Amino acid sequence: MRSNEAILLTLTGGLKLTTRVQHPKVHERRDRKSHCWIFRAWVHQLQTDGTAKPVRKFFTIGPSRGENSLTKKEAEVERDRILSKLNTPTVQHALAKGPALFSEVAKMYKESHLSREDQISKPTRIKEESHLDLHIIPRWGKYRLSEIPPKDVEDWLYQTFDSWWTRHAMRFIMARIYRKAEEWGLWEEGKRSPIEKVKIGKKWYKRPRQILSMEQTVRVLSRLEDPILLVIETCIATGARISEVLGLQWKHIDLLGGTIRIEQRQWHQDIDEPKTDTSKRILAMSHLVARYKVKATEINANPEAWVFGQRRDGGPNG
């Protein structure tokens, strides 16, 4: 078996290419408002059981009269171009119709996209892998890309998940798999995926969103102790993300200039680049300079040490 046919069998769960030789005549259709060249040919329509059923279809080539009309000879040339794909379909042409199993494409997505650290951050990778393994693949893995109905996906999202954000995450991951499938030639270029037709309604929150007043903020901070208090105060004063504050080393602190330099972030002991390129920045500490000076003096701060390190091993908190 040729390697490309083996790929087709793997991705589609056993679907085989069928070669058909046909050479139908070109006819001029005159029973409509406009005149056009047409022909009829057999095509293989994918069934739910993975088999391909032959179906005869009309193909419209182009106008036979009026502006931009084609001669019969030109219409026959265009017919032959179309038939070349129908009679001897290539693996690429067959796969672009969407017969690949969603589970196989999701597997490719995990191996060639999520696994690349330079493309996606570790927190996002862990979240997406969890959603795929626990929810998406068990529900849709047996379907082919061309078989997934938008209404069924929409019903599944509403019946399974209470959170708008979870529905959004599930839809986003499935839509990105289709976009990757298009890049890999497994989905027809420019064709809308069924996931693009899924609606999840206006954004909403399970709990009311509330911004604390100055008085409420002071009351919360009064209940905290260092180092947690200094972490929260730094986030409030500088606008830095908590993962960026936890990723600070003393070499990033400029006590004379009163600034901190955001160069990395820390998440669950994982040290990496900040969330975006623009996240690398210098922020003013304002009134917190004195607090950091006291902390640096107390621990005799080493430039390579973590500002908010764990007491047991000196590693970063988080």
Side-chain angles (χ1 to χ4, degrees):
M1 182 184 296
R2 298 195 302 271
S3 60
N4 56 353
E5 290 190 10
I7 294 172
L8 181 69
L9 289 174
T10 300
L11 288 175
T12 63
L15 184 66
K16 295 182 179 181
L17 289 175
T18 302
T19 300
R20 180 185 294 274
V21 178
Q22 53 185 331
H23 199 263
K25 292 183 178 180
V26 171
H27 298 281
E28 184 181 16
R29 169 169 275 180
R30 305 176 184 178
D31 57 345
R32 303 292 173 89
K33 292 182 179 181
S34 59
H35 295 71
C36 59
W37 296 111
I38 65 165
F39 70 93
R40 294 181 70 184
W42 292 96
V43 298
H44 293 282
Q45 196 170 73
L46 188 66
Q47 305 297 299
T48 56
D49 60 359
T51 60
K53 177 183 177 181
V55 178
R56 204 171 186 197
K57 294 183 62 177
F58 273 105
F59 290 84
T60 301
I61 301 174
S64 59
R65 299 185 187 184
E67 189 177 359
N68 299 322
S69 63
L70 303 175
T71 65
K72 188 172 183 179
K73 187 67 176 178
E74 290 172 333
E76 289 174 341
V77 171
E78 181 63 16
R79 173 206 57 191
D80 293 342
R81 187 188 66 80
I82 297 173
L83 286 174
S84 66
K85 296 180 179 179
L86 297 178
N87 289 338
T88 55
T90 63
V91 169
Q92 290 75 17
H93 181 260
L95 287 175
K97 298 298 183 181
L101 294 170
F102 188 88
S103 58
E104 292 296 327
V105 183
K107 180 181 177 182
M108 293 173 61
Y109 175 75
K110 290 169 64 176
E111 292 176 350
S112 64
H113 181 71
L114 291 183
S115 63
R116 294 173 180 169
E117 296 182 0
D118 60 336
Q119 287 190 352
I120 194 166
S121 65
K122 186 174 181 179
T124 302
R125 180 165 63 251
I126 291 175
K127 181 185 72 173
E128 291 201 12
E129 287 179 347
S130 175
H131 286 334
L132 282 167
D133 294 339
L134 295 178
H135 302 291
I136 298 175
I137 294 177
R139 177 62 181 85
W140 303 106
K142 295 180 180 180
Y143 285 75
R144 302 182 189 279
L145 293 180
S146 58
E147 294 175 346
I148 296 180
K151 181 181 182 303
D152 289 1
V153 176
E154 192 169 305
D155 291 344
W156 170 66
L157 291 175
Y158 273 88
Q159 293 166 6
T160 310
F161 308 106
D162 294 331
S163 166
W164 183 92
W165 290 101
T166 305
R167 294 174 191 168
H168 176 269
M170 297 294 175
R171 185 182 64 173
F172 176 82
I173 294 170
M174 293 182 71
R176 185 145 66 175
I177 288 176
Y178 270 92
R179 288 196 294 272
K180 283 296 177 183
E182 182 179 345
E183 293 177 13
W184 299 328
L186 303 178
W187 185 253
E188 190 174 340
E189 187 173 352
K191 181 180 179 181
R192 289 182 67 194
S193 76
I195 310 304
E196 292 180 47
K197 305 171 186 177
V198 173
K199 309 298 181 185
I200 57 175
K202 294 181 63 175
K203 185 189 304 181
W204 58 277
Y205 303 90
K206 294 183 68 173
R207 299 178 182 83
R209 304 195 79 191
Q210 181 180 359
I211 298 177
L212 298 181
S213 65
M214 185 62 69
E215 180 183 350
Q216 290 171 324
T217 302
V218 171
R219 285 166 57 190
V220 170
L221 294 178
S222 67
R223 294 173 176 268
L224 302 177
E225 297 181 354
D226 286 334
I228 296 176
L229 175 59
L230 186 55
V231 170
I232 301 302
E233 286 180 324
T234 304
C235 290
I236 295 174
T238 64
R241 300 179 179 94
I242 191 167
S243 61
E244 296 170 342
V245 175
L246 295 178
L248 288 173
Q249 294 172 269
W250 283 105
K251 63 183 179 182
H252 302 137
I253 307 295
D254 181 359
L255 294 175
L256 293 178
T259 62
I260 59 174
R261 193 171 69 254
I262 303 297
E263 292 187 348
Q264 60 192 25
R265 65 106 181 103
Q266 188 275 127
W267 180 83
H268 289 201
Q269 307 297 309
D270 176 65
I271 308 301
D272 202 348
E273 297 283 315
K275 189 172 183 179
T276 63
D277 291 337
T278 56
S279 294
K280 291 185 177 182
R281 59 206 189 279
I282 296 177
L283 303 172
M285 289 192 293
S286 64
H287 65 283
L288 294 180
V289 174
R291 299 260 280 126
Y292 273 87
K293 285 182 177 179
V294 171
K295 184 177 179 65
T297 302
E298 288 178 350
I299 64 174
N300 192 22
N302 184 310
E304 295 299 323
W306 299 98
V307 177
F308 301 103
Q310 293 183 353
R311 293 179 180 179
R312 64 178 182 271
D313 58 10
N317 265 309

